[in-house]
Amino acid sequence: MGKIKRIRPNKVSLLKARRTSERQARAVDGERLQQIDGLCETGKFADAENLLDRLLVESPASALVLSKLGSVNYKQGRMTEAEAYFRKALKFDKQNISALIGLGRLEGDLGRVDSAAAFYNKTLKISPDNYLALNGMGGLFLKTGNLEMARNVFEKVIRLEPHSSEGLYGLGRVNASQAQFAEAEINYRLAILNRPEYAEAYHSWGIIQAKQGRYAEAEDSYRKSLDIRPDNINAMFDLAELYEKSNRLQESKEIVNRSLDVAPGNLGASRIMATLLRREGKPGEALKWLDSVSLPENNPAKSSEVHYELARIYDRLGENEKAYRHFDLTKKFQGLEPQSRKFNKDNFLQGLLQLKTFFTEERLKRLAAEKLPVSGLQPVFLVGFPRSGTTLMDQVLACHPDFSVAEETAALDMVIHKIKRLGKGYPDALDDLAEETLVELRQEYFSSLKRSMGGDKPTGIVVDKYPLHIIHLGLIAKLFPGAKVILAIRHPYDVCLSNFMQLFRLNDAMANFTNLTDTANCYDQVMSLGLHYMKFLSLQFHQIRYEDLVENFEETAKQLLTFLGADWDETVLKYYEYARAKTNIMTPSYQQVTEPIYKRSVLRFINYASFFTEPTDVLKFYVDRFGYDDVDDVLSATEDNSLNVNI
């Protein structure tokens, strides 16, 4: 007789427990489980948990009941309890899909991507077409910036389950991450159509509406998300930020306080509270909200936002070394974001070189001598290097009854896109453009301008404000030979410092502002091209210095209006009241232009002079060219206390 293979006692216990679990699972009252599922669908998690607790007493080894308890705790934000229930469920049934997916979600929420992926992969080995696990994997690909893999996964989910709200929502998030806002909106709409109480879809829809400047719609979407899930911290955060950026500060503070009641110490809410207090002129109180917060290890975007606010607080407190350090950390964390890898500062600089190579002195003189017919509406173009005071100028003009101001629209970019599709591309195709093609391009420009201004036809004197379109003055001269151009100038050191001190939404151009040296180099490349255009083109130019507007606002504004052919109007003196009434100033200057004129941004670089090392030689040429005092003399006078710098 052969030997009888003995089973270790712990394995015997496990087998017995599994058989007991299976029997108990089958014995669980199906009607009560249905009732529990219904309670969860309507958000009545406490009632569902009470029923599950009773079932657990009857069936203590039921993996089914344990996994449902894990899910209910997860939905109530009790992550530790949820994890304990999920892991206990797996002790009785290693292939319990609900527990595996639940642990995948938990690990993903905690930023432990590899561990989360392991749980989802275990699920997919058991059930290859499990769309919940696929959705989880898609979310991980999104989190790590692998958008193509995320798209493939969510498209598979939709093939398996065409009405899957989660799959449609995930695909919408991929679209949004790739700035495909129209496609994202369609997928969010479909997700909500299939699941009307989809709070996350409403919230994400609001995010893309806000990015497109549709702020009233974004507010409505955030509100709908919060109607469904009043405790949705992320929706509260985005609504509070929308109000803050729209200068609705009291409403923002109300939402922030509400979110802090739900989640005391929440990082996002604390950051916005600090912003609001700084804007109220209480930087010391603002600092208390952030000086001891713990930054997330795997969320560089959040870390960047917190360092940015700390930098602005320390700047306002006059602690410049600390401020500079936090501005530097802001840029470093922004560079760690997955989407940052898409952008390269050299792409923008290469584009500038291409324009400089094409627009030679000879070609510009020839363009100026063409005597192109001036017909139709000739816009005014407000250009300059970013942070040169263009937002202040456009608000001054916007409150004057004779002007329609378009703020940073894609109108000229759409024209460039059409030219790129011609044989030689942009800018080479400009040499051979027929008059009928120019007419079509002008029509494209005004159609795009109209769309960006809410479908209204521009009236009066149209001002197209887009600072970096200074690099396209050659194209502007070709399209609109009768156009007037306002060139915004600010002290070169101040303007470079200000760009370094901004948390811009990243693109190839903004990628040049991660340090002062790169910023100064970009300034040199942009402004040298702008001055090259101005030297040879026959456009009408008016140069306006930010400092002149600050020091002598009324006289400088009158000179600007005279150049534009408009009469003086007293409303321009209260431009900041007009700005406060607007809800769509979403440039980095949205805070400043709602205040009366102040001087703390003039010669601000003095406070950070020790950080200007390599950029000095590049910038000194422009200091002289635009009529500013010699930097060394200014710094020397400051040290001698003979110059009072208002910060």
Side-chain angles (χ1 to χ4, degrees), residues 394-395 397-399 403-407 453 461-465:
D394 89 49
Q395 293 305 301
L397 295 174
C399 66
F403 293 93
S404 291
V405 178
E407 297 183 61
M453 297 177 77
I461 302 171
V462 177
V463 179
D464 184 339
K465 173 251 184 173

Side-chain angles (χ1 to χ4, degrees), residues 4 61 80 94 150 185 376 398 418 425 437 444 458-459 481 600-601 620:
I4 298 174
T80 304
K94 289 182 179 178
E185 189 160 358
K418 285 184 79 79
T437 306
E444 174 64 38
T459 58
R600 64 175 177 265
S601 292
K620 281 183 177 179

Side-chain angles (χ1 to χ4, degrees), residues 321-589:
E321 288 194 10
K322 288 183 180 179
Y324 186 89
R325 180 169 61 85
H326 283 289
F327 281 124
D328 190 46
L329 287 168
T330 297
K331 298 303 175 86
K332 286 179 179 174
F333 275 106
Q334 188 181 32
L336 294 175
E337 296 175 40
Q339 63 268 33
S340 296
R341 293 193 291 270
K342 297 187 298 183
F343 305 112
N344 187 333
K345 65 183 176 68
D346 292 330
N347 293 338
F348 179 71
L349 298 177
Q350 185 62 39
L352 293 178
L353 180 60
Q354 186 180 5
L355 290 169
K356 286 179 179 178
T357 303
F358 177 80
F359 285 109
T360 61
E361 176 180 341
E362 179 185 354
R363 184 172 269 114
L364 289 178
K365 285 180 176 178
R366 192 164 62 243
L367 177 58
E370 280 183 10
K371 303 298 180 185
L372 295 167
V374 177
S375 60
L377 185 61
Q378 301 288 300
V380 173
F381 291 90
L382 174 50
V383 300
F385 202 72
R387 305 296 298 162
S388 292
T390 53
T391 301
L392 173 59
M393 292 178 205
D394 89 49
Q395 293 305 301
V396 169
L397 295 174
C399 66
H400 190 290
D402 290 353
F403 293 93
S404 291
V405 178
E407 297 183 61
E408 303 193 14
T409 75
L412 197 64
D413 296 319
M414 292 302 294
V415 171
I416 293 170
H417 178 69
K418 285 184 79 79
I419 296 172
K420 283 180 177 179
R421 292 163 63 186
L422 300 175
K424 293 183 179 179
Y426 178 76
D428 295 339
L430 293 178
D431 274 342
D432 306 315
L433 290 182
E435 180 56 33
E436 56 267 27
T437 306
L438 283 170
V439 170
E440 290 174 9
L441 293 174
R442 292 184 192 111
Q443 289 173 344
E444 174 64 38
Y445 173 86
F446 285 115
S447 295
S448 179
L449 198 69
K450 182 179 176 182
R451 287 193 300 272
S452 68
M453 297 177 77
D456 297 326
K457 185 177 180 180
T459 58
I461 302 171
V462 177
V463 179
D464 184 339
K465 173 251 184 173
Y466 202 123
L468 276 177
H469 281 169
I470 187 175
I471 70 175
H472 298 304
L473 287 174
L475 169 62
I476 288 169
K478 188 80 172 180
L479 284 176
F480 304 108
K484 294 181 178 180
V485 178
I486 306 167
L487 177 64
I489 298 296
R490 185 179 175 189
H491 195 292
Y493 279 62
D494 276 342
V495 81
C496 287
L497 177 66
S498 186
N499 279 285
F500 168 69
M501 292 167 73
Q502 298 304 311
L503 182 57
F504 291 111
R505 187 178 298 161
L506 215 58
N507 56 34
D508 288 338
M510 301 300 109
N512 284 276
F513 302 149
T514 59
N515 59 69
L516 285 175
T517 300
D518 285 348
T519 305
N521 177 58
C522 183
Y523 178 88
D524 177 37
Q525 300 301 313
V526 169
M527 297 308 290
S528 64
L529 178 58
L531 292 173
H532 178 63
Y533 285 131
M534 290 176 65
K535 185 175 181 180
F536 300 109
L537 290 176
S538 57
L539 293 169
Q540 302 174 69
F541 289 98
H542 179 75
Q543 182 175 304
I544 182 169
R545 298 200 319 180
Y546 170 76
E547 293 80 6
D548 294 336
L549 200 58
V550 169
E551 295 288 345
N552 192 354
F553 178 82
E554 186 170 338
E555 182 58 34
T556 306
K558 283 180 178 178
Q559 291 172 8
L560 175 61
L561 292 174
T562 299
F563 166 71
L564 297 175
D567 294 329
W568 174 253
D569 192 293
E570 294 289 331
T571 57
V572 302
L573 295 173
K574 297 292 181 70
Y575 71 89
Y576 51 90
E577 292 181 358
Y578 170 82
R580 285 174 190 160
K582 293 184 69 176
T583 59
N584 61 344
I585 304 171
M586 301 298 266
T587 71
S589 302

